[in-house]
Amino acid sequence: MPDPLLPTDLPADLPADLPRPRSDAGSPVSRAAALRRMVFSGELEFLMEAHNGLSARIVREAGFGGIWASGLAMSAQLGVRDNNEASWTQIVDVVEFMADASDLPILLDGDTGFGNFNNVRRLVRKLEQRGVAGVCIEDKQFPKTNSFIDGDRQPLAEVEEFCGRIKAGKDSQLDEDFVLVARVEAMIAGWGVDEALHRAAAYHEAGADAILIHSAKSRPDEILEFAAQWQNRAPLVIVPTKYYSTPTTVFREAGISVVIWANHLLRAATSAMQSVAREIHDSRTLVDVEDRVAPVGEIFRLQGADEYAAAERRYLSVAHQAPAAVVLAATRGRGLEAVTEDRPKVMLPIAGKPLLRWLVDTFKSQGMNDITVVGGYRADAIDTSGLKLEVNERHEETGELESLRRALPAITRDTVVSYGDLMLRGYILRDLLDVKADFAVVVDSSAVTDEDAGRTNDFVQCSEPDDRSLFGRQVLLRRVTNEAAGSDGRWIGMLAVRGEGVARLTAMMERLVQRPDFDRLDMPDLLNALVDAGETVEVLYVHGHWRGINDLYDFDRAGEFARP
Ligand code: SPV
Ligand code: MG
């Protein structure tokens, strides 16, 4: 459901923790109304330049109340000149990304309006449709050049003609709050304060909501003179890029309404990119710059990755999400001490890659990319690429269930819980995923040898022994024991939990944690507790095609299994 407090023209995917524009009564206002309030607040207000979605979000997070979508900055980030080389629709596309990325009111630098009165009409319509709060048009001719490039050689528009553009823009806005600012370039073009005043009065008369009075001088004198003579007939907007050393209180005292910091994010980004590019080029390494640049995680945060994950949980049908996987990999490995000095068992190489990778690749081959590994012994040596790592620091004095407990936050949907020292043919996992039961385990019914009996546990008794004629019939788990004799096979160490079983697994874990002997409990204890609680744990029988790597004997033979 949309947030009822959000104005309808705001993007829905923004983090909810930042303040939204509100009326005095506390109810939400549109962005156009928010910009209008800034312009007419009677206080000195500030707009910060942004030039794309990312910088728009950064402006919002910095705490500004509004954005200046600078023509100079937007054209520069596109790699073109501020001479209307980017078409007006390209500019509207850029500003649309900004409006999507930030819920701040945006005042678009609309240059000359991109043509005559007719272009201004269409521009205003398109801006309103895209959530832009206002536009500033300047009294020059299309195509324009940036005011700071030979500004005094640039022809100004005829006053009457420019008034026509203003009227056309005002007549076409559908939202009465949409703000049209008329920009006076007379002082840039060297025509002086009087001409500027004459033009500003005409533009105000034509319907402009505010006047942007621009100057390229390094001191604010002509701006202050203009403001003094203007006498607050309409709000004044200024761009002190050239007279930047003027204290801000001077503008406040002059009765200015809005100060635009017009290009500083573009320039900040440019300096940073130049320095980092040069340094990486010269040093041919990333080590010196890594700590100076934003971590990739910060970029994800600014992009709203968390909101996406939440939306995925909310909207992506569970049927379309591959299950998650939790891999228990905390142990060093019995009888493997000689080869696990510097790594846990799951990092032992088998036919050229770590044991854990074989398992992870099997998961990935079934589209399961959400994989959480619980490490313990030498968890630091686990290769975590493509994985999330949880660590059971108490692995030496705890059993497998304490490791599983560490991964419970990751078990929010269908999940396969697996021992980490397991290799298996892909079809076993695929068949397990096809089982529809809330709980399902894979059991190998091939003859249990005497040799196995001495070396491993996890023998199981089932509702029926394996029999190929069982195909299609449901077989249930009765008990996991360490008794080979009389068992129906071996649990291979893989449990699938799906649907409502996910919550019941969590509930069962919460009950088991209360037991005084919890630290000694292993996965078989969980399976038995589920059975004892009346849960249906379905058995998928297989006949070989997997290996548990329990000791040096298994390790020695694993390579053959990996590459038969
Ligand atoms: C812009 O930011 O594009 C402006 C202000 O129009 S200025 O560059 O000062 O002309
Ligand atoms: Mg501009």
Side-chain angles (χ1 to χ4, degrees):
M1 236 198 39
D3 179 347
L5 292 178
L6 279 182
T8 49
D9 69 341
L10 296 185
D13 67 334
L14 281 169
D17 52 336
L18 290 164
R20 315 254 174 188
R22 303 263 156 184
S23 74
D24 293 340
S27 54
V29 297
S30 74
R31 289 196 264 201
L35 180 61
R36 180 165 288 276
R37 279 200 309 166
M38 286 180 85
V39 170
F40 288 93
S41 74
E43 305 282 329
L44 185 61
E45 307 273 0
F46 302 91
L47 295 181
M48 183 71 197
E49 169 260 315
H51 48 271
N52 55 22
L54 185 73
S55 54
R57 202 159 267 198
I58 287 170
V59 170
R60 181 191 199 273
E61 288 195 350
F64 283 96
I67 291 174
W68 169 246
S70 156
L72 168 63
M74 287 188 293
S75 57
Q77 63 89 27
L78 290 169
V80 297
R81 287 167 287 221
D82 190 11
N83 290 68
N84 297 122
E85 290 184 344
S87 72
W88 76 273
T89 54
Q90 288 171 325
I91 290 299
V92 170
D93 285 344
V94 172
V95 83
E96 183 179 25
F97 274 102
M98 293 163 61
D100 285 345
S102 159
D103 57 3
L104 291 182
I106 299 174
L107 177 63
L108 172 70
D109 175 1
D111 290 345
T112 59
F114 308 108
N116 69 4
F117 74 94
N118 194 40
N119 302 86
V120 175
R121 291 198 298 192
R122 221 172 137 64
L123 176 65
V124 168
R125 283 291 172 85
K126 291 294 141 193
L127 293 181
E128 284 195 312
Q129 287 165 10
R130 295 179 193 215
V132 177
V135 68
C136 175
I137 56 172
E138 63 198 51
D139 57 354
K140 292 201 301 221
Q141 292 169 17
F142 180 88
K144 50 67 61 92
T145 294
N146 186 278
S147 304
F148 299 147
I149 301 178
D150 296 332
D152 51 359
R153 294 218 327 255
Q154 296 180 28
L156 297 188
E158 297 285 343
V159 174
E160 284 305 309
E161 186 275 325
F162 190 68
C163 287
R165 283 187 241 170
I166 294 169
K167 284 188 192 135
K170 289 304 292 179
D171 285 348
S172 5
Q173 71 188 62
L174 298 178
D175 180 348
E176 60 180 8
D177 287 324
F178 185 86
V179 176
L180 191 147
V181 178
R183 166 164 160 179
V184 178
E185 290 281 288
M187 296 184 329
I188 294 278
W191 292 31
V193 173
D194 287 346
E195 175 67 15
L197 285 162
H198 162 66
R199 285 174 171 258
Y203 303 161
H204 182 220
E205 177 76 10
D209 296 295
I211 300 296
L212 191 157
I213 182 68
H214 205 8
S215 166
K217 299 264 164 57
S218 59
R219 293 189 47 79
D221 302 0
E222 61 182 11
I223 289 287
L224 297 178
E225 187 185 338
F226 179 96
Q229 296 198 42
W230 178 249
Q231 296 196 318
N232 280 325
R233 276 174 274 172
L236 287 184
V237 180
I238 60 169
V239 183
T241 304
K242 292 287 181 185
Y243 47 98
Y244 64 88
S245 60
T246 310
T248 302
T249 49
V250 172
F251 304 141
R252 193 172 282 114
E253 280 158 19
I256 304 297
S257 292
V258 177
V259 169
I260 293 176
W261 310 122
N263 44 42
H264 299 81
L265 294 195
L266 176 83
R267 288 162 61 193
T270 301
S271 304
M273 288 192 283
Q274 285 171 328
S275 132
V276 167
R278 213 178 293 122
E279 188 159 339
I280 293 176
H281 172 267
D282 294 350
S283 66
R284 286 175 170 65
T285 169
L286 301 175
V287 288
D288 297 325
V289 300
E290 184 60 29
D291 293 343
R292 271 170 37 212
V293 297
V296 178
E298 173 61 0
I299 307 299
F300 294 154
R301 189 191 67 76
L302 284 164
Q303 288 174 306
D306 284 355
E307 194 281 338
Y308 178 82
E312 196 176 51
R313 284 193 292 279
R314 197 160 161 191
Y315 301 121
L316 196 60
S317 114
V318 175
H320 288 95
Q321 289 180 44
V326 166
V327 179
L328 306 180
T331 61
R332 177 170 185 176
R334 251 177 303 126
L336 290 165
E337 289 77 5
V339 283
T340 53
E341 189 66 37
D342 58 347
R343 67 189 86 184
K345 176 163 70 168
V346 293
M347 288 307 291
L348 287 175
I350 310 257
K353 69 179 176 184
L355 173 55
L356 179 63
R357 268 300 131 187
W358 286 99
L359 182 60
V360 164
D361 288 351
T362 307
F363 283 130
K364 288 190 177 281
S365 72
Q366 298 301 319
M368 297 171 62
N369 294 311
D370 180 359
I371 301 168
T372 302
V373 173
V374 186
Y377 173 74
R378 290 306 306 263
D380 58 305
I382 292 178
D383 168 10
T384 56
S385 41
L387 308 172
K388 282 176 262 173
L389 180 69
E390 296 290 336
V391 180
N392 173 9
E393 307 84 5
R394 295 178 54 238
H395 61 95
E396 275 185 35
E397 64 262 29
T398 61
E400 291 153 6
L401 289 198
E402 173 59 18
S403 292
L404 179 62
R405 193 177 70 80
R406 307 291 174 121
L408 278 185
I411 305 182
T412 55
R413 57 190 166 96
D414 294 2
T415 302
V416 172
V417 180
S418 175
Y419 288 158
D421 53 7
L422 191 59
M423 300 175 76
L424 70 163
R425 298 282 175 252
Y427 80 87
I428 295 181
L429 177 60
R430 188 199 58 204
D431 289 357
L432 178 65
L433 298 179
D434 281 344
V435 178
K436 296 286 174 274
D438 287 353
F439 300 99
V441 288
V442 183
V443 171
D444 184 0
S445 65
S446 7
V448 174
T449 63
D450 292 344
E451 198 181 15
D452 286 339
R455 293 171 41 246
T456 60
N457 299 322
D458 300 353
F459 298 103
V460 297
Q461 292 157 9
C462 303
S463 59
E464 306 191 41
D466 192 13
D467 168 349
R468 304 290 167 107
S469 68
L470 282 173
F471 194 76
R473 285 232 315 266
Q474 197 184 39
V475 178
L476 302 183
L477 178 73
R478 292 276 186 250
R479 187 124 231 102
V480 188
T481 77
N482 49 16
E483 287 292 322
S487 71
D488 295 305
R490 262 179 74 190
W491 177 51
I492 74 167
M494 209 170 242
L495 161 70
V497 190
R498 59 162 66 229
E500 294 176 1
V502 172
R504 296 210 300 281
L505 177 90
T506 307
M508 176 55 77
M509 284 295 289
E510 280 163 8
R511 271 165 53 195
L512 293 175
V513 167
Q514 305 302 322
R515 279 176 46 172
D517 61 346
F518 179 74
D519 277 353
R520 291 206 301 279
L521 300 186
D522 287 323
M523 284 299 289
D525 300 302
L526 171 65
L527 294 177
N528 288 333
L530 288 169
V531 170
D532 291 346
E535 295 290 357
T536 299
V537 181
E538 194 165 322
V539 169
L540 171 71
Y541 274 131
V542 296
H543 313 274
H545 295 162
W546 68 283
R547 290 285 185 283
I549 313 300
N550 286 305
D551 51 26
L552 219 43
Y553 175 86
D554 293 332
F555 177 52
D556 286 342
R557 279 155 192 76
E560 280 166 40
F561 179 79
R563 299 197 196 282

